[in-house]
Amino acid sequence: MKIKSFLGGVHPHEFKELSCDLAFEVMPKPKQVIIPTSQHIGKPAKIIVQKGNEVKAGTLIAEQDGFISSPVYSSVSGKVSKIAMNHTMLGFPKECVFIDTIESDEVELLPKLDISKITPSEIKARVKLAGIVGQGGAAFPTFVKLTPPETKKIDTVILNACECEPYLTRDYRLLLEKPNEVVQGLHFIMVALGVEIGIIGIENNKPKAIEVIKDTLKDYPNIFLEIVKTKYPQGAEKMLIKAVTKREVPPGNLPLDVGVVVQNVGTAAAVYDAIINSTPQLSSALTVSGLGIKNSKNLIVKIGTPLQDIIDFCGGLNDNSYKVVAGGPMMGVALHDFSVPVTKATSGILVLTKEEARNYEETTCLRCGKCIDVCPLFLMPTRLARLSQLEMYEEADKYGITVCMECGSCTYSCPA
């Protein structure tokens, strides 16, 4: 198959060998979960429980509050010990529900659906009720993406299976271990949008996943596999759309403006669970990796599990650990508090050494133009950086600073 791509981008060392062959492990429940009401873009969910309430796994603890919002469920059975502010993976304090867990494995399921007669409106309602959010990084409420304005005609759904960030292998393991769930989830998304064409984009550094998905797609004539070049940020929405459809999303516009909706592998699997298994989003699949952690793992953990519990489960930190990052090394967030909890969209936790973190001192710009060559959005990072340093923000806006998606390709390639 022809390998497709986009102009620009970089190819950092992948480090995926640390975890790519490790099957998912289900992490035991922690003694306490800390569940933020804001695990998505938009308005935080509204808490409907109080201190002392007993809950089951699957009990609604915070309801959707506004159109761009998402309900939150208890991931464990237990007792609400307090409601208080706590830092999240993004580094900001948010209102959280603290639940002390008990041994019970009872789960409060959503009402069952008749799959043989399921309609687009039922799929949208179920995705909304289950509290599913995008797991590609932005955590946009999925039902909002499934409800585009009537003026926007969607004809293609793209499943982002690139996983272009170094270290992360969560999506790769989902493709290998749950291919039917992922593809069926994509099919449900297509039905919800009334779309006939589905595309799965996988980077060419994942030959095993490519073969597994090829085999799975034999029963889905309207879903096509596209092989894309192993390059960062190949998994960015606009880059992936450009690579597999040749459509270009104009600056300031969204994928739906060119007739496309992009969803992540983890999101498709969550849609499958919500529809087939009647399960709201209670757990997160993530990669724990880096040379600073004793044991790399791919884990299924309860939402709200504190970072410290995960580090302990992976054997603890090595003596040379230097930085802990939520997400990937290119666009992830450095963490300063080990009490931060896993959320719906947490894709990875990296423990990096000083050598991996590449913490170099900035020197004077050489005006070599490497950053301009690699920028996937054809911006001028040198000019934007200088204007920002001079606080000339209106001028920077003219040069497209608000178009920048902060992928870090310019920083990675910069010799200064």
Side-chain angles (χ1 to χ4, degrees), residues 25-72:
E25 297 179 44
V26 178
M27 182 176 163
K29 290 182 291 188
K31 293 181 180 178
Q32 184 184 68
V33 293
I34 305 168
I35 304 181
T37 58
S38 180
Q39 300 184 43
H40 49 269
I41 283 180
K43 195 173 181 182
K46 183 179 179 181
I47 294 176
I48 59 171
V49 292
Q50 297 177 341
K51 179 181 177 180
N53 285 169
E54 293 183 358
V55 295
K56 299 176 185 175
T59 297
L60 183 67
I61 60 174
E63 61 188 10
Q64 178 187 351
D65 189 15
F67 181 65
I68 303 182
S69 184
S70 184
V72 176

Side-chain angles (χ1 to χ4, degrees), residues 282-304:
L282 305 180
S283 61
S284 180
L286 54 87
T287 297
V288 182
S289 190
L291 299 179
I293 192 84
K294 291 198 183 304
N295 301 303
S296 294
K297 293 180 183 288
N298 287 300
L299 296 176
I300 305 292
V301 305
K302 297 294 185 184
I303 289 170

Side-chain angles (χ1 to χ4, degrees), residues 130-146:
I132 297 172
V133 304
Q135 295 184 33
F140 201 78
T142 301
F143 85 93
V144 177
K145 275 193 173 184
L146 300 186

